[in-house]
C-alpha cells in the first residue's frame, strides 16, 4: 500500500512538471546517509560490548566446560551401571525434589503472607511436607504397580482408570459446579434488568466467592485439571512406548508411569 501510494505521488509530480526525480534522489541520499550512520553506530556498539564481555565468556568456557563435560560423563557412566529399579527410584526421587523445590519457591515468593499470622505459615509448611512426602509415596506406588503382571486385566484396568477414567470423572465434577454457578449468575443479572445478550456484551460473566462457594478454589481446580490434560498425550505416548521394551523392563516402566500419573494428579505435579 505504501509503495502504491508513493508511485501515485511520484507519477503525479512528474505529470505536473515538477522536478520529482532530483527531489527524490536528494531524499534518498539523505535517507541512505542516515541509515548508514545508524548502522555504523550499532555496529560500533555491538563490537564494544563484545570486546567487553568476550574475555569473561572465554574464561568461563575454558574453566567450566571441561568440568561440565566430565560431570556429564560421570553421570552417564553412573546411570549405565545402575539397574532399572534403581533408575526408576532415582527418577521418582528427582521428581519429588523438583516438586518440593517448586513449593519452596512459591513459599519464598509469598513470604509477605507469612507475617499475616500462623495460619498462612502452617498452610505453606503443609504444602512443603506434602510435596516432600512423594519421596516415600512415589516408591511405594512404583513397588506396588511393578509387582503386577503387565498383561493382566488388573494392570490394564489400573492404567485405564488412572490415566483417563478418573481424570475424566474429576473434570466433570469440577465442571458441574462451574456450570451451576454461571447459570445462577446469569439468572441474577437477567433479573436485575436487560437481556442476556446485552448483559454479556456489556460485561463478562465472572464468578465471585460467596458463602459456601469459593471461586478461587474452583479456578485452581480448573487450572489443575487443564494442566493434567495437557500432560495426558505424553503419558499416553509413554504407555504405548512401554510395549516396545523388553519383558524384564516393562514392570519397572509401568511402576514409573503410575507414580508419575499419581504425582501429576494427587501431588499437583502438573501445576
Amino acid at each position: 500500500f505504501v509503495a502504491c501510494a508513493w508511485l501515485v505521488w511520484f507519477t503525479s509530480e512528474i505529470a505536473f512538471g515538477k522536478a520529482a526525480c532530483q527531489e527524490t534522489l536528494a531524499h534518498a541520499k539523505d535517507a541512505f546517509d542516515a541509515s548508514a550512520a545508524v548502522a555504523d553506530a550499532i555496529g560500533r556498539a555491538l563490537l564494544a560490548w563484545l570486546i567487553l564481555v568476550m574475555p569473561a565468556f572465554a574464561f568461563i568456557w575454558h574453566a567450566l566446560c571441561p568440568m561440565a563435560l566430565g560431570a556429564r560423563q560421570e553421570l552417564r557412566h553412573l546411570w549405565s551401571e545402575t539397574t532399572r529399579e534403581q533408575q526408576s527410584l532415582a527418577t521418582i526421587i528427582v521428581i519429588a525434589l523438583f516438586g518440593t523445590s517448586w513449593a519452596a519457591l512459591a513459599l519464598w515468593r509469598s513470604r509477605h503472607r507469612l507475617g499475616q499470622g500462623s495460619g498462612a505459615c502452617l498452610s505453606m509448611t503443609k504444602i512443603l511436607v506434602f510435596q516432600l512426602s512423594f519421596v516415600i509415596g512415589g516408591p511405594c506406588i512404583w513397588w506396588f504397580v511393578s509387582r503386577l503382571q503387565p498383561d493382566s486385566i488388573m494392570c490394564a484396568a489400573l492404567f485405564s482408570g488412572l490415566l483417563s477414567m478418573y481424570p475424566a470423572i474429576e473434570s466433570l465434577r469440577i465442571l458441574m459446579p462451574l456450570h451451576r454457578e454461571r447459570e445462577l449468575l446469569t439468572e441474577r443479572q437477567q433479573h436485575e434488568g436487560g437481556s442476556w445478550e446485552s448483559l454479556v456484551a456489556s460485561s463478562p460473566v465472572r464468578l465471585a466467592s460467596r458463602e459456601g462457594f469459593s471461586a478461587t478454589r474452583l479456578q485452581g481446580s480448573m487450572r489443575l485439571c487443564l494442566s493434567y490434560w495437557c500432560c495426558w498425550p505424553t503419558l499416553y505416548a509413554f504407555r504405548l512406548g512401554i510395549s516396545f521394551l523388553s519383558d524384564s523392563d516393562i514392570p519397572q516402566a509401568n511402576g514409573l508411569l503410575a507414580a508419575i500419573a499419581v504425582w501429576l494428579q494427587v501431588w499437583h505435579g502438573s501445576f
Side-chain angles (χ1 to χ4, degrees):
F1 177 78
V2 175
C4 293
W6 185 86
L7 287 175
V8 171
W9 168 83
F10 185 73
T11 305
S12 62
E13 290 292 320
I14 294 178
F16 285 103
K18 297 182 179 179
C21 293
Q22 292 78 3
E23 183 179 357
T24 303
L25 290 175
H27 290 322
K29 183 178 183 302
D30 294 338
F32 178 79
D33 293 340
S35 300
V38 171
D40 182 68
I42 293 175
R44 291 177 180 272
L46 291 176
L47 181 61
W49 279 106
L50 286 176
I51 294 174
L52 176 64
V53 302
M54 281 306 294
F57 279 122
F59 172 76
I60 294 174
W61 177 263
H62 291 294
L64 298 182
C65 186
M67 297 174 57
L69 291 177
R72 177 173 173 270
Q73 293 295 334
E74 290 294 331
L75 289 176
R76 290 184 61 182
H77 177 71
L78 181 62
W79 183 263
S80 62
E81 292 296 326
T82 56
T83 62
R84 296 298 183 186
E85 293 84 357
Q86 294 172 343
Q87 293 174 2
S88 299
L89 292 176
T91 304
I92 292 173
I93 292 175
V94 169
I95 290 174
L97 294 178
F98 173 76
T100 305
S101 302
W102 188 272
L105 180 62
L107 175 63
W108 173 256
R109 289 179 176 176
S110 59
R111 59 188 181 276
H112 62 278
R113 292 178 52 193
L114 301 181
Q116 299 178 1
S118 59
C121 183
L122 181 62
S123 176
M124 290 296 180
T125 305
K126 287 181 179 179
I127 294 175
L128 282 175
V129 174
F130 179 68
Q131 290 293 333
L132 191 58
S133 66
F134 189 71
V135 176
I136 300 175
C140 292
I141 297 170
W142 170 84
W143 180 86
F144 173 76
V145 178
S146 63
R147 293 302 181 272
L148 298 177
Q149 292 294 330
D151 54 351
S152 63
I153 298 178
M154 184 176 180
C155 184
L158 174 66
F159 279 104
S160 178
L162 185 61
L163 298 180
S164 301
M165 292 183 63
Y166 173 76
I169 295 173
E170 190 68 14
S171 301
L172 291 176
R173 188 187 66 83
I174 294 172
L175 291 176
M176 288 176 62
L178 173 65
H179 181 68
R180 182 171 61 252
E181 290 296 325
R182 289 179 66 90
E183 283 186 344
L184 291 176
L185 184 58
T186 305
E187 290 176 359
R188 184 167 64 251
Q189 289 182 343
Q190 288 179 349
H191 181 70
E192 292 175 357
S195 63
W196 185 87
E197 291 81 2
S198 61
L199 288 172
V200 172
S202 60
S203 61
V205 179
R206 296 181 179 178
L207 298 178
S209 299
R210 54 179 174 79
E211 185 178 359
F213 171 74
S214 174
T216 304
R217 182 177 301 176
L218 179 60
Q219 290 173 357
S221 300
M222 292 171 57
R223 293 191 185 99
L224 179 63
C225 179
L226 290 174
S227 62
Y228 171 78
W229 286 114
C230 291
C231 300
W232 183 84
T234 304
L235 294 177
Y236 194 74
F238 189 2
R239 174 64 176 163
L240 294 177
I242 289 176
S243 60
F244 295 97
L245 299 176
S246 61
D247 295 338
S248 59
D249 295 336
I250 289 179
Q252 287 76 22
N254 283 336
L256 180 60
L257 176 60
I260 293 175
V262 174
W263 178 69
L264 290 175
Q265 300 177 57
V266 179
W267 274 268
H268 300 176
S270 54
F271 302 106

